[in-house]
Amino acid sequence: MSEVVETKAVADAFLKQFGIEPEVTAYSPGRVNLLGEHTDYNGGYVLPMALRDLGVSIALAKGDEPGVIKAYSDTFDEVETRSIEDVRQGRWTDYLLGCLKAVVYEEVEEFGLRVALATTLPMGAGLSSSAALEVVSLKGALELFGRKLNPVDVAILAQSIENNFIGMPCGIMDQFASSVGDPGVAMFLNTRSLDYELVATPEDYAFVIIASGVSHQHTENGYATRVAECLAACEALGVEKISDLGVADLDRVNQIAEPLNRRARHVIMDNQRVVEGVDALRKNDMVRFGQLMHDSHGSQRDDYEITVEKTDAMVEACLSRGALGARQTGGGWGGSVVALVEKSALEAFNKSILGDFDGIEILAVT
Ligand code: GLA
């Protein structure tokens, strides 16, 4: 439903900007991560859920100048002009450009391209706006030029563009959830083998996504520092990936240098929490699932040190307002909190939590 509405909106924006109808439109969702944070680049498990109503849509048509890309975004309300030969310039169009270079370089060189993007996914809210932008750019460009790539390969390619063209050493969770996920359904993903399973969440519970108003800036280096610390922990422990280790190895892990011991401990425990969380979902044990979410937040706060005061306070407030569990979700240092709430208590919960903090916003209930 919303996909149709959003692709109509982007087609209208395209027509307004360029005075012609687009040739194709596409839509890709953002995601919320329910459990398993910073485990993906460590070869571990994650439990994201693609979002129903928050995503990025794209409209495209061939251009009027060989090699030239004219791209409009409703977020910035401007048209940027780039050449397909450009290198990264620290502009929003880098994401689009990296994708075009990867799949339709020659076609854009020959015809040029006009693009409009529209988003319902706020940037910096920890809901993977960059991955959705990459996935939708690849999908749209491939379709325009009659090319095909399966959703898993789109996700792998999108991650490699983010790693190599944008320079952000992310894992594959976000691109995979956006490209392969089923909106509104949790996805249990092994980020090493890329095996995954869709897992239903009980009907009488909801996940409430609350933007903290504190915006993360991954590329600024906090994220890359954690990636480097995990590599150093692997070296100290003599493993290829932290996910080669499990709960039985914790004594050994605790003995390596600070803070590498805590970083590795977080990854091992969050991996374990994903496995236990999937089991809890299957048994309809939402009290257990909520507890795992809360434990995961504590581990992000104390061991991985990627939370901020406001998300810490929001998580505790969610619990005191009746949530079964809550945690900061996404890359870290702000973004959004996701809370598990019984549907019968939802209205009262939403009202009271909004009264507790300035500048927070309920972005979705899923
Ligand atoms: C960002 C990255 C993901 C993942 C999360 C943390 O969203 O893009 O690959 O590492 O942070 O779990």
Side-chain angles (χ1 to χ4, degrees):
M1 277 292 282
S2 76
E3 179 164 342
V4 174
V5 173
E6 289 179 35
T7 48
K8 164 91 174 66
V10 80
D12 290 348
F14 186 98
L15 178 62
K16 190 165 160 228
Q17 286 304 316
F18 301 116
I20 55 164
E21 300 277 351
E23 292 173 57
V24 302
T25 58
Y27 172 82
S28 297
R31 63 97 191 95
V32 59
N33 190 22
L34 303 179
L35 280 176
E37 218 67 84
H38 286 254
T39 46
D40 60 352
Y41 54 84
N42 286 300
Y45 297 118
V46 288
L47 191 63
M49 179 192 271
L51 294 168
R52 270 206 191 88
D53 298 321
L54 300 177
V56 182
S57 40
I58 194 168
L60 309 101
K62 291 183 203 78
D64 47 7
E65 230 183 299
V68 176
I69 303 149
K70 290 183 185 150
Y72 169 80
S73 146
D74 70 343
T75 308
F76 303 98
D77 198 20
E78 62 174 20
V79 176
E80 273 198 10
T81 302
R82 302 289 297 262
S83 157
I84 191 68
E85 288 170 8
D86 280 357
V87 293
R88 174 167 60 119
Q89 293 177 353
R91 292 152 68 176
W92 70 264
T93 39
D94 286 348
Y95 292 91
L96 171 68
L97 182 66
C99 294
L100 298 174
K101 277 168 150 338
V103 290
V104 291
Y105 190 102
E106 280 158 21
E107 290 88 340
V108 175
E109 213 176 24
E110 184 175 351
F111 299 107
L113 196 68
R114 282 176 277 211
V115 178
L117 287 150
T119 185
T120 47
L121 195 58
M123 288 192 319
L127 303 178
S128 65
S129 54
S130 348
L133 172 54
E134 291 151 7
V135 170
V136 87
S137 299
L138 289 172
K139 266 171 46 176
L142 286 162
E143 197 186 326
L144 177 65
F145 293 107
R147 306 255 307 279
K148 287 208 184 326
L149 205 56
N150 71 57
V152 170
D153 288 337
V154 167
I156 293 170
L157 185 57
Q159 182 207 10
S160 92
I161 291 160
E162 180 132 3
N163 291 167
N164 303 316
F165 191 73
I166 302 297
M168 155 81 177
C170 64
I172 196 157
M173 168 172 68
D174 301 353
Q175 291 80 5
F176 205 92
S178 181
S179 184
V180 184
D182 189 359
V185 185
M187 171 189 262
F188 175 32
L189 170 66
N190 176 335
T191 61
R192 200 178 241 181
S193 65
L194 298 187
D195 289 338
Y196 69 93
E197 227 175 296
L198 297 177
V199 188
T201 47
E203 293 245 314
D204 35 354
Y205 292 85
F207 291 98
V208 182
I209 301 165
I210 315 160
S212 67
V214 181
S215 168
H216 68 276
Q217 269 302 345
H218 291 154
T219 34
E220 267 179 17
N221 75 31
Y223 188 96
T225 304
R226 291 296 176 276
V227 174
E229 286 169 343
C230 287
L231 283 175
C234 284
E235 216 160 285
L237 290 158
V239 293
E240 194 204 329
K241 297 269 183 197
I242 296 179
S243 301
D244 290 338
L245 302 168
V247 177
D249 300 295
L250 280 177
D251 280 348
R252 191 157 75 86
V253 168
N254 288 336
Q255 280 159 28
I256 66 169
E258 280 278 343
L260 305 185
N261 52 358
R262 285 183 292 121
R263 305 296 189 249
R265 189 166 65 206
H266 164 79
V267 173
I268 291 168
M269 293 308 294
D270 242 26
N271 265 337
Q272 177 69 17
R273 280 185 279 266
V274 173
V275 174
E276 286 180 29
V278 169
D279 186 55
L281 286 181
R282 290 197 175 119
K283 293 182 173 141
N284 230 327
D285 186 352
M286 296 314 274
V287 171
R288 176 94 188 106
F289 195 87
Q291 182 64 49
L292 290 162
M293 290 174 76
H294 193 225
D295 293 348
S296 173
H297 184 83
S299 174
Q300 294 192 83
R301 180 190 60 218
D302 302 333
D303 279 351
Y304 222 64
E305 296 181 284
I306 55 169
T307 66
V308 294
E309 264 176 39
K310 189 165 183 188
T311 53
D312 292 341
M314 284 169 68
V315 163
E316 297 316 317
C318 285
L319 264 74
S320 70
R321 296 300 189 177
L324 281 84
R327 60 188 291 277
Q328 180 186 281
T329 183
W333 295 280
S336 297
V337 162
V338 55
L340 171 62
V341 182
E342 216 167 329
K343 278 195 181 150
S344 56
L346 199 54
E347 216 180 298
F349 172 83
N350 289 353
K351 203 166 153 218
S352 54
I353 198 75
L354 286 174
D356 284 344
F357 296 89
D358 286 335
I360 69 170
E361 190 189 343
I362 294 180
L363 294 177
V365 175
T366 184

